[in-house]
Amino acid sequence: MTRLSVLRHACRGLRVPPSQPTRSGAPVFGSAKRCPSLGLAGNRAMLRCASTTPTSASSMVNKYSKEQEGAEIGYENDVLERTRESLVALQRDDPALHPVLAIIQIVDELSKLNEDPRVRGVYLHLAPALLTGRVISTLAPEKDVDGVADLNMGRLVRGDPSEGFVPAEAMAVMEVLESHGVSSEGQTVVLVGADGAVKVALRCLMERRGVVTLNGHKSSESLQEQVCKADAVVLLGAGPAEVPPTWLKPGAAVIRCDSALTSGSAKGPCNVVLGSCRWLREQQYQDWSLRLLKLQPLNPVPSDIQISRAQTPKSVQQLAQEIGLLPGELEPYGRNKAKVRLSLLERLQAQPDGNLVLVAGITPTPLGEGKSTVTIGLVQALSAHLKLNSFACLRQPSQGPTFGVKGGAAGGGYAQVIPMEEFNLHLTGDIHAITAANNLVAAAIDARMLHEATQSDKALFNRLVPSVNGVRKFSPIQISRLRRLGLSTTEPASLTAEEVRAFVRLDLDPSKLTWQRVVDTNDRFLRKITVGQASTEKGHSRETGFDIAVASEIMAILALADGLGDMRVRLARMVVGTSRSGQPITAEDLGVSGALAVLMKDAIKPTLMQTLEGTPVFVHAGPFANIAHGNSSVLADKLALKLVGRDGFVVTEAGFGADIGMEKFFSIKCRASGLRPSAVVLVATVRALKMHGGGPNVSAGSPLPREYIDENLSLVTGGCHSNLRKQIEIAHLFGVPVVVALNVFKTDTAAEIALVCRLALECGARAAVPCHHWALGGRGSVELARAVKEASAAPSHFQFLYETEMPIVEKIRTIAQKVYGADDIALSPQAEAEIQTYEQQGYRSLPICMAKTHLSLSHMPDKKGAPTGFTLPIRTVRASIGAGFIYPLVGTMSTMPGLPTRPCFYDIDLDPVTEEITGLF
């Protein structure tokens, strides 16, 4: 690399501005003339310098000893000095002369053309020596109008050129032959000339028609004999200039592929048109060609991870092709999962949406009642057994419950997303991106408060708007802040001292900061912490805390945004606190919103995976329903609705009970997106109904009491008449039909199952069916699939629970009374003050996202069934302005869970030989 570096430094000394026009106005990109003053050696050296790449230069250096290298450096310095002198002399004669050297990297240019959506065809007009295997393999087959790429030639040889290209010369020859009547079975054609793509193509095309092809060579003694018997002779490339007429039998045709046929002007346009037609066809909606994976359920049912590993998933590229995704719309993350680009929405914007089905549940036990399992079982039944297009949309599981108590969220038994290890652990890193973005905001807040407290207005301004080469310039995000301040200037020097102060000082009130750091782990000791205790922070310490990552407002934004632009706007308007003068301070004011969008640019794309039976799943976003709005992303639902087609089904899941996840789906997600569900599937279990009917408490990690194992129709009846009835009534508040799905466990008796289905119908459900997907896969939920199809076809009378223009307090009260069954609400003084601040700041019209325990309809986890006669306490109220909702915290609800005495991580380990995970459910 030494010689190359010397050349680079010497060339810098020339100080020649790039791409300056000559007197004629055209830039100079090199010259075929030599510089006389340099001599032959100098010109050779210049040629070597221009053509040497770092790799080749490095290999050349290794061939020389240090003495030779030193001599060459001296020689090249001498050459470069003379080059510089010659250029100076030329510029004295013509000051407008500014030569520019352009180096074309063929492979790089081809890669750019492959990615350019405007280019529908690429013709490689190169010398044969440059048409290397690397060049040809780089060219995208769908743009290979030459038809020489390996894939196109392979399709032709295989006899299936319908999706590829045939060399234009070969097509032209075939047309000429056909015009001369040489295209029938049994006729003979001699191909004379060098072997190559055209010759191979002609042989394949002719033999497919039954035409006999003979391979002739100009030096072959048998050439005359071959020509005498032929109905046509095709002269290719470097073959003979002509065939003696005496060799030809009467009526034989002679076709020569000369320069006119092989020139760029006569080659490729037809293939470009063909490629454009195919491209237009690809842009249309594609019918599914789903290849299902067979299940062979075992009894007893193995562990979830054993079942997952026993099934071999399709490659994600194959799955994408089966459901109509284009290769350019997929970003694979390994073999089993891939991000899907949002350009799909634009491509299918005219495609009618399918049916949207929401899966919710009754108030669960701490063990969960299997909503994810029901969701997966339902789509497996719809696609694998009813042959209907269907898509599941699930949330990404948090590491908190995965290593805590509840475990993963991939479903269970024979109704799972696979591979379940990848689903439950990291996935494509979206939650890590949210954590990084959230904590960048937190760092920006504390840093800004420190700098404002320790610097003058002038010092702050000089650092925020630094002088670069003597010029100060506002960044675009700083201009946005100026506009928020009502300042129209873009010139830093034009600001008055008062305007400078307003610009540089956010003046955040430490007591009114609402932004906390996050981590994706259940860590109770981070609920309240003190930051800024190091001496370098100069005494600027304060109390704050951590939330779990999925409670971050950025997670809610990811789940509610309808595109990258919308996400950028929502990130900018996040309110992190209030100034001492009472003004809301946003992420845009901090100058961090652009960086947040950069961190989140990949996370906004849903992740494609599959079920055990090979049906598609979108995994995207993961807000908890008890401390956030608890639904998968708007984008995942919208993409899936386009892909399934008018008669297909998208099954999306809402977290915890219908009073939490379903209410927020309707009040927040449907408002933000315009989505409207056709039906609600309400998941119930016998064990949960027994708990709500008066059974003893259930604790994760402890054996179930006998009441939940033995038949007890009285407890089941009590649970149906209380909690199940109330949750059905909540769904009816929004005008949506309800199908009750009883998730059957092996301890459930036939009498209990029949009782639940009968009472569910009496409580207002449109249908109620037992589901056995855990043990049987999709086959165990066929009855549920039929009930959902029927319910979705019925008229829907969707309506919202409240008008957003109502006062914040009244919206909270409406949810408490109509959904939870409370008599009234009780606001703490802090909550009252916060609500007053938000209404003064103009946030009155936002919907409400209640943070409440998921273990009861009330705020008291031990109150089961359908409690009444209670007052709902509102401890504090936050505002997620970017996400677009007001966020009251009910009772003692915490946004950072804690670990139990024996978390799930006790059982999780890794086999260092096979790299297989053990103990994961």
Side-chain angles (χ1 to χ4, degrees):
M1 297 299 292
T2 307
R3 296 170 67 236
L4 187 63
S5 301
V6 170
L7 293 176
R8 284 174 174 165
H9 287 294
C11 291
R12 289 194 189 105
L14 291 174
R15 296 182 180 176
V16 181
S19 192
Q20 295 296 322
T22 62
R23 286 176 179 169
S24 65
V28 179
F29 292 99
S31 172
K33 297 180 180 179
R34 294 178 177 173
C35 184
S37 62
L38 293 178
L40 180 60
N43 279 285
R44 286 176 176 167
M46 287 181 68
L47 178 61
R48 183 174 60 194
C49 295
S51 62
T52 299
T53 63
T55 301
S56 60
S58 178
S59 62
M60 289 169 66
V61 169
N62 294 333
K63 298 178 182 179
Y64 295 92
S65 64
K66 291 184 178 179
E67 293 80 4
Q68 290 172 314
E69 184 177 304
E72 285 210 2
I73 290 173
Y75 171 72
E76 289 173 352
N77 283 339
D78 180 59
V79 170
L80 287 170
E81 181 60 31
R82 282 185 284 158
T83 303
R84 187 162 47 245
E85 292 171 357
S86 299
L87 183 57
V88 170
L90 289 172
Q91 288 179 323
R92 278 200 299 268
D93 295 338
D94 186 351
L97 177 64
H98 297 289
V100 175
L101 174 67
I103 301 175
I104 298 175
Q105 299 285 348
I106 296 174
V107 171
D108 291 346
E109 291 302 317
L110 280 179
S111 298
K112 293 175 185 177
L113 293 172
N114 288 343
E115 296 297 324
D116 190 338
R118 301 168 300 172
V119 176
R120 299 263 57 86
V122 177
Y123 164 46
L124 296 175
H125 191 56
L126 298 172
L130 296 177
L131 283 173
T132 63
R134 184 184 177 199
V135 169
I136 292 174
S137 63
T138 299
L139 179 58
E142 65 272 16
K143 297 187 179 184
D144 168 35
V145 296
D146 287 312
V148 296
D150 293 346
L151 181 58
N152 285 325
M153 292 303 299
R155 285 169 171 161
L156 186 59
V157 171
R158 191 180 61 192
D160 181 26
S162 58
E163 295 301 319
F165 288 115
V166 177
E169 297 98 323
M171 291 192 297
V173 169
M174 292 300 294
E175 289 182 10
V176 174
L177 287 172
E178 190 168 354
S179 68
H180 283 76
V182 184
S183 60
S184 303
E185 185 175 352
Q187 293 181 298
T188 302
V189 176
V190 178
L191 304 177
V192 185
D195 293 334
V198 176
K199 192 178 228 184
V200 171
L202 282 171
R203 293 191 66 173
C204 292
L205 292 171
M206 291 179 186
E207 289 173 2
R208 196 156 61 245
R209 295 188 181 188
V211 175
V212 177
T213 59
L214 301 177
N215 191 20
H217 297 279
K218 61 181 180 180
S219 59
S220 172
E221 295 180 358
S222 61
L223 180 60
Q224 181 177 356
E225 181 182 353
Q226 290 175 323
V227 170
C228 288
K229 298 177 181 179
D231 298 290
V233 178
V234 180
L235 306 176
L236 299 166
E242 59 184 21
V243 173
T246 56
W247 290 11
L248 300 170
K249 75 177 185 179
V254 178
I255 303 170
R256 177 166 181 78
C257 295
D258 57 17
S259 58
L261 236 176
T262 57
S263 66
S265 60
K267 178 182 182 184
C270 56
N271 275 343
V272 172
V273 173
L274 177 61
S276 298
C277 292
R278 288 175 181 165
W279 180 83
L280 287 172
R281 188 172 67 245
E282 287 174 350
Q283 302 310 300
Q284 306 304 310
Y285 177 80
Q286 304 293 318
D287 291 332
W288 285 21
S289 56
L290 198 63
R291 182 180 69 85
L292 300 168
L293 302 179
K294 292 184 178 180
L295 280 185
Q296 294 180 331
L298 302 177
N299 189 11
V301 176
S303 69
D304 291 351
I305 198 165
Q306 288 175 321
I307 294 172
S308 175
R309 286 184 183 151
Q311 185 67 286
T312 301
K314 298 174 286 189
S315 73
V316 72
Q317 289 94 338
Q318 179 186 341
L319 174 63
Q321 182 181 18
E322 291 172 356
I323 62 175
L325 285 168
L326 303 181
E329 292 168 340
L330 206 67
E331 297 177 3
Y333 280 61
R335 184 184 183 278
N336 302 311
K337 54 188 182 291
K339 289 285 191 181
V340 174
R341 293 179 178 172
L342 305 186
S343 58
L344 172 66
L345 276 178
E346 182 179 355
R347 177 169 70 86
L348 297 182
Q349 59 182 335
Q351 169 68 17
D353 289 346
N355 301 280
L356 182 61
V357 176
L358 176 67
V359 176
I362 66 171
T363 303
T365 69
L367 306 177
E369 307 315 308
K371 286 193 311 302
S372 299
T373 310
V374 170
T375 300
I376 300 304
L378 175 55
V379 294
Q380 289 181 176
L382 286 165
S383 289
H385 300 274
L386 298 191
K387 306 305 179 184
L388 296 168
N389 292 351
S390 70
F391 230 112
C393 291
L394 299 179
R395 291 171 295 161
Q396 178 183 352
S398 164
Q399 183 176 293
T402 298
F403 292 106
V405 176
K406 184 174 178 288
Y414 287 100
Q416 291 188 58
V417 180
I418 56 172
M420 62 93 76
E421 308 101 299
E422 295 183 27
F423 179 93
N424 285 306
L425 300 172
H426 303 297
L427 198 64
T428 49
D430 293 356
I431 293 181
H432 301 311
I434 290 165
T435 301
N438 185 99
N439 293 343
L440 179 61
V441 177
I445 292 169
D446 287 319
R448 186 61 175 264
M449 292 173 65
L450 172 67
H451 295 316
E452 288 187 22
T454 56
Q455 297 180 45
S456 65
D457 295 348
K458 182 178 180 181
L460 277 170
F461 187 80
N462 288 342
R463 288 179 170 88
L464 288 171
V465 192
S467 176
V468 180
N469 296 326
V471 178
R472 292 190 191 277
K473 185 179 179 181
F474 290 121
S475 67
I477 205 166
Q478 290 176 325
I479 292 175
S480 176
R481 170 152 175 79
L482 290 170
R483 299 295 177 266
R484 280 173 54 82
L485 294 171
L487 302 174
S488 59
T489 183
T490 59
E491 294 297 327
S494 67
L495 296 184
T496 66
E498 183 179 347
E499 290 170 342
V500 166
R501 181 174 181 81
F503 172 74
V504 301
R505 296 202 177 273
L506 302 180
D507 200 26
L508 278 160
D509 185 343
S511 67
K512 294 184 178 179
L513 290 174
T514 55
W515 197 265
Q516 301 210 113
R517 289 168 172 81
V518 299
V519 64
D520 194 33
T521 303
N522 291 357
D523 192 343
R524 65 178 70 245
F525 281 89
L526 293 177
R527 290 171 179 168
K528 189 173 184 179
I529 62 169
T530 302
V531 296
Q533 296 191 71
S535 59
T536 51
E537 276 52 76
K538 305 175 184 178
H540 293 278
S541 62
R542 68 180 183 91
E543 283 190 350
T544 181
F546 273 75
D547 296 330
I548 193 163
V550 291
S552 169
E553 182 176 357
I554 297 176
M555 172 63 87
I557 287 174
L558 177 68
L560 291 170
D562 66 5
L564 192 58
D566 182 44
M567 183 179 72
R568 171 66 176 80
V569 170
R570 288 173 178 268
L571 291 170
R573 71 176 185 228
M574 293 188 304
V575 173
V576 302
T578 303
S579 70
R580 288 184 173 87
S581 63
Q583 296 300 311
I585 303 300
T586 66
E588 189 88 343
D589 292 324
L590 280 169
V592 74
S593 51
L596 301 181
V598 170
L599 287 171
M600 295 294 294
K601 71 179 181 66
D602 292 322
I604 197 171
K605 304 165 192 172
T607 299
L608 177 66
M609 295 187 75
Q610 63 193 285
T611 68
L612 278 166
E613 296 192 55
T615 66
V617 179
F618 273 141
V619 187
H620 201 214
F624 284 174
N626 54 350
I627 55 179
H629 77 284
N631 286 270
S632 64
S633 77
V634 166
L635 282 169
D637 288 356
K638 286 188 171 182
L639 288 169
L641 285 167
K642 293 297 183 186
L643 287 169
V644 297
R646 187 195 302 273
D647 298 324
F649 289 83
V650 173
V651 183
T652 190
E653 178 202 0
F656 294 126
D659 57 305
I660 299 181
M662 184 187 72
E663 183 272 318
K664 294 171 183 177
F665 176 88
F666 292 140
S667 298
I668 298 173
K669 186 174 179 179
C670 288
R671 285 186 200 272
S673 64
L675 295 171
R676 300 291 184 268
S678 302
V680 167
V681 173
L682 191 68
V683 178
T685 62
V686 168
R687 73 181 183 190
L689 290 170
K690 288 179 176 179
M691 179 185 70
H692 291 297
N697 287 334
V698 175
S699 299
S702 300
L704 282 174
R706 295 302 308 177
E707 289 86 345
Y708 296 101
I709 299 172
D710 300 333
E711 183 176 287
N712 193 317
L713 299 180
S714 175
L715 291 179
V716 172
T717 301
C720 289
H721 284 158
S722 58
N723 197 268
L724 180 61
R725 180 187 298 276
K726 178 62 177 175
Q727 301 288 14
I728 293 173
E729 290 173 354
I730 294 170
H732 288 165
L733 289 173
F734 297 92
V736 182
V738 177
V739 174
V740 171
L742 180 63
N743 189 18
V744 175
F745 284 66
K746 61 184 179 181
T747 54
D748 301 343
T749 67
E752 290 173 331
I753 293 170
L755 178 62
V756 172
C757 293
R758 178 174 62 81
L759 293 179
L761 295 176
E762 292 178 5
C763 291
R766 183 182 180 88
V769 294
C771 303
H772 302 272
H773 43 263
W774 182 80
L776 301 175
R779 182 161 56 89
S781 283
V782 170
E783 188 179 352
L784 173 63
R786 291 196 178 104
V788 167
K789 181 183 177 183
E790 181 183 343
S792 298
S796 179
H797 306 285
F798 180 81
Q799 61 185 7
F800 290 114
L801 182 65
Y802 55 80
E803 298 297 328
T804 56
E805 295 305 318
M806 293 169 57
I808 292 174
V809 171
E810 290 307 310
K811 286 182 283 194
I812 297 173
R813 181 174 284 114
T814 298
I815 296 171
Q817 292 177 335
K818 292 188 176 181
V819 177
Y820 305 152
D823 288 345
D824 203 354
I825 61 173
L827 299 173
S828 70
Q830 179 182 348
E832 287 182 340
E834 288 163 339
I835 290 172
Q836 185 178 5
T837 297
Y838 298 143
E839 292 196 332
Q840 290 172 349
Q841 292 175 342
Y843 303 135
R844 171 175 172 167
S845 63
L846 294 178
I848 304 300
C849 180
M850 303 286 278
K852 182 188 77 70
T853 178
H854 60 288
L855 297 175
S856 172
L857 282 161
S858 72
H859 61 286
M860 301 166 283
D862 58 330
K863 298 297 183 182
K864 306 301 180 182
T868 57
F870 64 94
T871 298
L872 194 74
I874 308 300
R875 184 177 87 248
T876 184
V877 179
R878 300 179 186 176
S880 295
I881 305 305
F885 52 72
I886 301 296
Y887 179 18
L889 274 73
V890 177
T892 59
M893 190 65 203
S894 172
T895 52
M896 170 56 82
L899 288 172
T901 303
R902 194 187 189 282
C904 292
F905 60 64
Y906 272 81
D907 302 311
I908 299 172
D909 208 339
L910 181 72
D911 187 319
V913 176
T914 63
E915 297 187 9
E916 286 190 345
I917 297 169
T918 58
L920 192 65
F921 329 120

